[in-house]
Amino acid sequence: MLQQQQPLTGNGASNGRGLGMSGHPGMHALNTVHQPSQHRSDGGDPAGLEGSENGHESRRDIGDILQQIMTITDQSLDEAQAKKHALNCHRMKPALFSVLCEIKEKTGLSMRNAQEEEPQDPQLVRLDNMLLAEGVAGPEKGGGAAAAVSAATSSGGMSPDSSLEHSDYKSKLSQIRSIYHTELEKYEQACTEFTTHVMNLLREQSRTRPVTPREIERMVAIIHRKFSSIQTQLKQSTCEAVMILRSRFLDARRKRRNFSKQATEVLNEYFYSHLSNPYPSEEAKEELAKQCGITISQVSNWFGNKRIRYKKNISKFQEEANLYAMKTALGARQGDDSPHTPNSTGSGSFSLSGSADMFLGVPPVNGEHSAYQMGVQANGNWQSRNSPTPGTPPHSDHSDNSD
DNA sequence: TGGCATGATTCAGC
DNA sequence: GCTGAATCATGCCA
């Protein structure tokens, strides 16, 4: 386009500073756009560019204008403003403007393909989805926190007093959400301000150079893209923060927490009242889990641990066994309308079905009684796992169910 | 802070 | 898949 640069005049109108458009074909506009009647002291008739004395004057005139344009940035603001105003009013301005339009037309073609709309970044989509799922972006619904809390409770291990942990998680998530929205708002505001500023500049510039609406659109798109990349970084950082918080919370879920006293009591009651066969059925486990506010697998764990530890050290558990035997016996005497342990029928009510074998099994307090009496046979097996005691209803036993 | 208690996990056997 | 056994990891308390 500018490959055929030639000085418009011999007096350095292009002044060797690369103005370069003097040789542009568009310069022919200078020959066609003119105002013949305006033959003033500040400029010659453009029609007479070629050959005449006036032509030389006109060239000098254009050279002066170009020189002024080139040096305008070196001047003070006031001077520049004054110069700008003068140039705007200059009679040659329409001609120069027309040249610029032509140049614009040419260069615009080469830009056209470079700034096409880009498809949405898949990474950004993922980040958006994650932030939405975690309840950081979008309407506040406690989704992420609630989901995490729900997952925690459903997987077991969350005692009721872990609600403190929930609130901690929620408050931290809320903090992240708040920071995210504040920053996002800041970016959006800055983007809007900057866009407005640039648009104003372009409008202002459109007085001295051709600025098409499409160009403004492109400029706005460029600004938005730049700010969008900043937003992507913000989203990425937010996601990382949420992931860290989440992982910490999930790790915390795995921490061992003691069951509540009441839960332990319920489990112990069942255990000692079914000492001859401490294998709760699925229904019984469900009932116990419900009673204790824990999961079935936790009930299974508890019974697994209890059986082993009981068997390992029966004497140590004797006192505990006596205590629960007393409690159960008292309960049985006072009436069976206030049951404490779930039976294995899954009916939801408790029976004292195990109290009979308890009396059979529990030795005197001072007892040097055998494991057999405690429900554990000499060979280490639970006495009624395969042969329930007469007093033990079949439904409560490990031996008569799938367990 | 150390030792014990206890819930959870892992692994092998059935 | 359930269980026993061993082990881990953490909570609790003196």
Side-chain angles (χ1 to χ4, degrees):
Chain A
M1 150 174 79
L2 303 176
Q3 65 274 36
Q4 292 182 336
Q5 288 183 18
Q6 294 167 357
L8 183 61
T9 65
N11 66 358
S14 63
N15 69 7
R17 296 176 67 176
L19 189 60
M21 64 181 173
S22 57
H24 192 276
M27 281 306 282
H28 81 271
L30 290 171
N31 299 327
T32 54
V33 181
H34 61 276
Q35 296 155 316
S37 62
Q38 294 178 339
H39 193 119
R40 301 182 318 210
S41 62
D42 60 347
D45 184 354
L49 276 173
E50 289 160 15
S52 69
E53 193 181 320
N54 278 349
H56 284 293
E57 201 178 328
S58 298
R59 284 181 191 139
R60 221 175 16 250
D61 188 23
I62 292 166
D64 287 344
I65 295 169
L66 293 174
Q67 185 65 33
Q68 284 175 32
I69 293 170
M70 292 308 293
T71 56
I72 202 165
T73 52
D74 299 332
Q75 295 165 350
S76 71
L77 197 62
D78 288 342
E79 279 175 337
Q81 286 289 349
K83 194 64 66 66
K84 199 176 86 178
H85 182 71
L87 285 169
N88 272 333
C89 300
H90 199 279
R91 66 188 181 84
M92 294 298 288
K93 189 216 165 182
L96 282 168
F97 196 85
S98 175
V99 172
L100 288 170
C101 281
E102 270 196 44
I103 294 168
K104 187 85 186 175
E105 185 71 21
K106 304 275 183 202
T107 56
L109 285 171
S110 62
M111 285 173 65
R112 202 151 291 166
N113 295 328
Q115 307 282 342
E116 289 306 323
E117 288 284 316
E118 286 171 18
Q120 205 178 2
D121 183 8
Q123 195 200 354
L124 192 61
V125 174
R126 274 202 303 276
L127 290 171
D128 280 335
N129 287 341
M130 185 187 162
L131 290 173
L132 210 61
E134 292 297 332
V136 175
E140 190 162 21
K141 53 183 169 38
V149 167
S150 150
T153 42
S154 67
S155 69
M158 291 298 269
S159 60
D161 56 0
S162 62
S163 58
L164 274 176
E165 221 168 79
H166 299 178
S167 61
D168 193 37
Y169 178 85
K170 277 183 185 173
S171 76
K172 282 197 165 54
L173 193 71
S174 173
Q175 267 179 28
I176 291 173
R177 185 188 160 87
S178 159
I179 292 167
Y180 170 75
H181 282 286
T182 309
E183 291 298 312
L184 203 63
E185 215 168 289
K186 270 190 209 165
Y187 285 135
E188 274 165 6
Q189 200 180 339
C191 182
T192 309
E193 275 174 17
F194 191 68
T195 305
T196 311
H197 180 65
V198 168
M199 282 174 80
N200 286 339
L201 274 177
L202 287 171
R203 276 197 207 101
E204 178 70 17
Q205 284 185 9
S206 70
R207 293 173 60 198
T208 51
R209 71 177 182 91
V211 180
T212 62
R214 186 171 169 78
E215 191 185 350
I216 296 175
E217 271 175 38
R218 276 186 196 137
M219 195 56 79
V220 169
I222 289 167
I223 295 166
H224 283 180
R225 257 199 298 278
K226 291 288 174 198
F227 274 89
S228 167
S229 71
I230 297 170
Q231 280 188 6
T232 305
Q233 282 176 19
L234 171 69
K235 284 174 183 179
Q236 207 159 4
S237 303
T238 310
C239 278
E240 278 169 18
V242 172
M243 291 304 284
I244 290 166
L245 177 68
R246 207 173 163 79
S247 70
R248 274 186 194 161
F249 180 73
L250 290 175
D251 283 347
R253 270 189 339 184
R254 294 171 59 84
K255 281 182 185 173
R256 188 182 69 75
R257 287 183 174 279
N258 287 350
F259 296 158
S260 67
K261 205 175 171 185
Q262 191 201 349
T264 312
E265 222 159 276
V266 170
L267 293 167
N268 272 318
E269 272 186 40
Y270 187 95
F271 181 82
Y272 288 112
S273 65
H274 295 76
L275 201 53
S276 62
N277 190 31
Y279 296 86
S281 67
E282 277 306 304
E283 289 85 355
K285 280 182 193 171
E286 256 178 59
E287 189 62 35
L288 285 164
K290 216 183 285 180
Q291 282 259 319
C292 302
I294 57 177
T295 64
I296 292 172
S297 61
Q298 282 179 303
V299 173
S300 297
N301 280 341
W302 189 92
F303 272 89
N305 287 324
K306 189 75 182 178
R307 281 192 296 266
I308 290 166
R309 285 161 188 166
Y310 177 83
K311 207 153 76 171
K312 266 186 182 173
N313 201 347
I314 292 169
S315 57
K316 189 183 121 187
F317 287 97
Q318 247 172 30
E319 205 173 322
E320 191 178 66
N322 291 335
L323 191 74
Y324 283 100
M326 295 278 275
K327 277 177 86 170
T328 315
L330 273 173
R333 279 179 197 162
Q334 281 171 4
D336 53 0
D337 56 347
S338 56
H340 289 88
T341 50
N343 65 14
S344 307
T345 60
S347 65
S349 62
F350 291 169
S351 78
L352 294 168
S353 57
S355 58
D357 46 294
M358 174 105 69
F359 288 125
L360 288 171
V362 175
V365 177
N366 66 346
E368 282 288 318
H369 282 256
S370 69
Y372 181 85
Q373 281 180 301
M374 291 298 291
V376 182
Q377 294 185 355
N379 62 8
N381 294 328
W382 297 96
Q383 62 171 266
S384 63
R385 184 153 185 192
N386 295 317
S387 56
T389 51
T392 306
H395 63 252
S396 65
D397 286 329
H398 184 75
S399 57
D400 58 12
N401 57 36
S402 59
D403 197 14

